[in-house]
Amino acid sequence: MKEKTGGFLAEFRKFIARGNVMDLAVGVIIGGAFKGITDSLVSDILNPILGIFAGGNEALTGLSIAVPGGGAIQLGSFINAVLNFLIMAFVIFCLVKAMNRLYRKKEEAPAAPPAPSKEEVLLTEIRDLLKAQKEEK
């Protein structure tokens, strides 16, 4: 029984120590912080501007449709969620695009060296002939 536990814990420790897991953890933390920025952008800047066009000169989050029975469809809150999603998706798209461009530059193989010129080939042959003559003596 202890072997399985030790093996499991060792495997878990190895999994955590991998760079990808740490990168993912950092990404989640930064993503959470960035979500706060996009929430503020949408609610504090875009909502009042869009509220002007929605009518009533109030924030877009107040936009709702009353339904019979006393409820309301919170259309403004839904639009906020869609705007947050679109902003986050756009930023992630830009980051992935930049990372792909960076990896492509790293993966490009260096150009093959140019073929030797006729003079270089001739000089190489002369050198080899001189070496051969020297070795014969």
Side-chain angles (χ1 to χ4, degrees):
M1 206 75 168
K2 282 189 174 184
E3 289 177 12
K4 285 187 178 182
T5 307
F8 178 79
L9 289 177
E11 187 177 344
F12 180 71
R13 206 174 312 122
K14 184 179 175 185
F15 171 76
I16 290 296
R18 271 199 254 155
N20 293 344
V21 174
M22 294 303 181
D23 293 342
L24 180 63
V26 170
V28 167
I29 292 168
I30 290 175
F34 187 71
K35 183 184 180 320
I37 293 170
T38 57
D39 287 342
S40 177
L41 172 70
V42 171
S43 65
D44 299 334
I45 296 173
L46 294 179
N47 262 342
I49 294 170
L50 294 175
I52 294 169
F53 298 111
N57 210 16
E58 63 182 58
L60 189 63
T61 52
L63 183 64
S64 62
I65 300 170
V67 291
I73 297 174
Q74 300 296 325
L75 192 58
S77 295
F78 176 72
I79 292 172
N80 273 353
V82 170
L83 287 173
N84 277 336
F85 170 76
L86 290 175
I87 291 169
M88 291 289 285
F90 179 73
V91 169
I92 290 171
F93 170 76
C94 291
L95 287 173
V96 168
K97 190 171 174 90
M99 292 301 292
N100 285 341
R101 188 178 305 136
L102 180 69
Y103 284 129
R104 255 187 263 126
K105 284 184 180 178
K106 283 184 179 179
E107 290 176 356
E108 288 178 359
S117 66
K118 291 180 182 178
E119 291 84 12
E120 289 175 323
V121 171
L122 183 61
L123 288 172
T124 304
E125 289 175 3
I126 293 170
R127 181 198 64 201
D128 293 343
L129 286 172
L130 289 173
K131 277 185 184 177
Q133 283 179 350
K134 204 179 220 184
E135 289 173 4
E136 287 177 8
K137 290 182 180 181

